[in-house]
Amino acid sequence: MDFSLDARTARLSVGEFSDFTLGPRDSSGSPHGLWRAQLGTYWHQQLRAQATAEHATAIEFEVPIEGRVFHRGWTITLNGRIDQLLRLPLNLPSEKCHLLGDTPSGETSSSPGSITLREIKTVSRPLPADETELRRDYPSYFAQLATYAALHRLAPTPNPETARPRARTELIFVEAGSGLAQTLALTPADESLFRVQLERVAEFLDLRLRARERLRHLAYRPAFATPRPGQETTAAELTAAFERHPAILFEAPTGFGKTGVLLEFALGQLRSGHFDRVLYLTSKATGQLQVIRTLHQMTEDVAAQNPKPLPATSVTAWHVRNKAEHCVNSVFHCHRDSCAYLADLETRWPASGLARFYLLDDQPHDLPALRTAGRAARICPYEITRSALAFNDVWIGDYNYVFAPANRTLFYNQPGFDPARTLLLIDEAHNLPSRVADAHSHTALAADARALLAELDHISAPTPFIRLWESWTLLLAALPAADSLDPALEADVADTLSQIATALSTTPLDYAALDPQLSAILWQIPPLHEWLANPLLKKLLWSPRAAELAFTCLDAADAIGETLRSYGGIVLASATLSPTAEFTESIGLDSPKTPNPKLITQSAELETSVALVRAATPWRDAAYDLAYDLRVDTRFSQRARHHATTAATIATLQDSARGPVAVFFPSYAYAEIIAREIDRSHPALRVALQPRLTDLAAQASWVEESLAFTDALFLVLGSSFAESIDLLGGRITHAMVVGPALPEVNAVQRARLAEFSLLGRDAAFRRVYQIPGMNKVNQALGRLVRAPGQRARVLLHCSRFGELSYAQLLAHDYQFGQNLTTDADLAAWLSR
């Protein structure tokens, strides 16, 4: 839907208009909905051929129609295509007229010159069915035909004094599996369906207008009551840069207050009317929770303090959690035939009282509140999120809701959502390239295919489809481990996937009877088929293990860039965006193929398509005391010779600190080896090795306990403990990094090296290995100094840190330190 609140106009298709609702709506992206849509195309083509043979020149197909309607102060323009329009000539003999006008129901559209509008809809239920049931289960189909009838009636006639004759309207239901058809004719009473939809659209537009008026008077506190040095000017610098370059890189160290700066900037943009909404995306749940807390602090009770008696002056925000977290059913299987919380929910929604989540701005909508409300109303809590999201000004969530094909429909299918009128904020943006590549990567296992093959027989799937799936199962089972597939085998994979994807579009299956995991395996096929044909991805098709096929995205820069360029404004924020040239290339903004003058602006600072704003942090000057321990080599092939030295160095560092120290390792395995060495050579030293926890509260509890009761915390670079837990600043005075965290050498990294080989060997190695590894080091060290007055002494424990190619990739604060080549150098540095 495109609309202008100032002009009070809206434009939408007839299909969108008839489906429009302020409550839950069927998701066409679900496997069942996708299958029905694809099969519907097939039956449309069959009925078109049949109608052409029967009616010759009297029938027209896909007839465009457009009309303008005025309702409750809004001008609503509707456009669409009528499936079939049967126009009987005026000079046609009566008996011929009846023959051509015969309908599957046996009725006729009798008189010469009459017009019949036909809409064809595919359904999965058996036909014929009771008309009352069809009207109950498919109300939008009847509304769509009623809308076509209204637009046809309102269309101008060649003679203004002659009224357009009322057209007969027929809705043809087609049973997807068999092609059996049932025709229902609309009655004059069905005209009310068109008016009901007009009311729904007008109500939505009124609510959006109310939100816009609220944003014009938006009140909020500054992000910082007492700004730190550097914070007082950053928001103004960001705004000034954004006015010239609506694509910004914002680099600020951990602890600077990026979240507050970004929110203050975004709220100002909303209040100025530059954007309709803000999307604030982060890669980790900890970041999303911080956004919620900061936004609450900036807006809580501000309206009550406003001297003008305004009804509402605060921003509305929604924290989007994944669908599984919403689920209150005993089994997470999102199919209406197997989940009572999804069954008939459009009918049950109006009486549920759940509309309060978008009608009342102050309604609590945290995840526990949504689950409680959904359980009480017997309606899926995720449907509350889907229904209410469009009425919020700030959407907070994961990268996947914009960049992952499997998840982005939640945002992109919201009524009124327009990326060009949206401000996109991406925090911890250094994670974006790898996260999007992961979202575009898939794995197929022979064991999964075999389990589904057995189940297809149990649900009586058609034999041709079972044979197709059997061929896919045999192909996977025969795969040996290989770093890449030969061209012939790749072609075989592509052909098999194409055949299954085509068969899925024409084969009815009982998805409700399938196990949820097996259903997901089946509907992995269309994305895999699309993946092979996607020109925006750099890909590797390989077999990590026998009977396993990996569809790995090596680089998603072009896909990221295409998405970013669709937004009216973007800010990518992180503590580690440097080196900026390589980062902008990794997000596809260095040389866009279709420049958008509204977004792409050349900047002399970077000579790329984005501008850079770096936060000033004078309080970090001299906050780090760095040393580069050149005594050891932590490369995988060399590190074993230095295990004893590494263990002794940790003990010496802890003795100097006289308190707990943090030691960062490139892997769990390396940390475990050194922990065992310390246990052997320094048994009095208490070591706590980072556990494999995903729960945020449990992670924080482990850190607190370890700080209180151990001497050394062993953390893994790149993990949530090293990049998301902000409990070390001011509490850890001494830290050690055991080597750069270069990615593991494997088939994927070798393929990425080959992709960047045109840059030269050293540049490719820098891009694939050194930059990701050193970014993890920079991220970890940033957690140690988060506020004025905090200090940290850091030992970078590997001779590689002294090499220019590595040292240049350290953040500015970590580039100036002392080289240590002997044990005496270490003792002198520690005693300084």
Side-chain angles (χ1 to χ4, degrees), residues 628-630 632-635 638 740 742 761-762 765-766 770 774 796-810 814-815 819:
Y628 311 105
D629 191 351
L630 310 183
V632 301
D633 186 347
T634 63
R635 289 178 176 87
Q638 302 295 321
L742 302 192
R761 182 178 180 276
D762 291 343
F765 183 78
R766 168 185 167 93
Q770 289 180 308
M774 295 302 290
L796 300 179
H797 184 71
C798 181
S799 58
R800 283 176 289 177
F801 287 118
E803 298 175 13
L804 183 62
S805 62
Y806 288 90
Q808 288 177 331
L809 294 175
L810 285 166
Y814 321 135
Q815 287 188 353
N819 289 340

Side-chain angles (χ1 to χ4, degrees), residues 562-586:
E562 182 181 71
T563 299
L564 291 177
R565 286 190 292 273
S566 68
Y567 282 81
I570 55 175
V571 180
L572 299 111
S574 174
T576 53
L577 296 178
S578 299
T580 50
E582 283 89 345
F583 177 75
T584 52
E585 288 178 11
S586 72

Side-chain angles (χ1 to χ4, degrees), residues 626-650:
L626 267 291
Y628 311 105
D629 191 351
L630 310 183
R631 300 173 302 150
V632 301
D633 186 347
T634 63
R635 289 178 176 87
F636 186 79
S637 61
Q638 302 295 321
R639 63 180 57 159
R641 297 191 298 114
H642 303 283
H643 285 167
T645 302
T646 299
T649 302
I650 294 171

Side-chain angles (χ1 to χ4, degrees), residues 93-139:
S94 179
E95 61 276 9
K96 183 66 173 176
C97 169
H98 280 268
L99 180 62
L100 290 181
D102 285 348
T103 68
S105 63
E107 302 175 12
T108 58
S109 43
S110 50
S111 61
S114 67
I115 292 176
T116 300
L117 310 179
R118 289 176 177 167
E119 192 65 17
I120 302 167
K121 297 298 181 183
T122 306
V123 295
S124 56
R125 64 180 302 154
L127 295 177
D130 184 77
E131 179 175 347
T132 304
E133 293 181 4
L134 292 174
R135 286 179 174 274
R136 180 198 65 200
D137 294 341
Y138 308 104

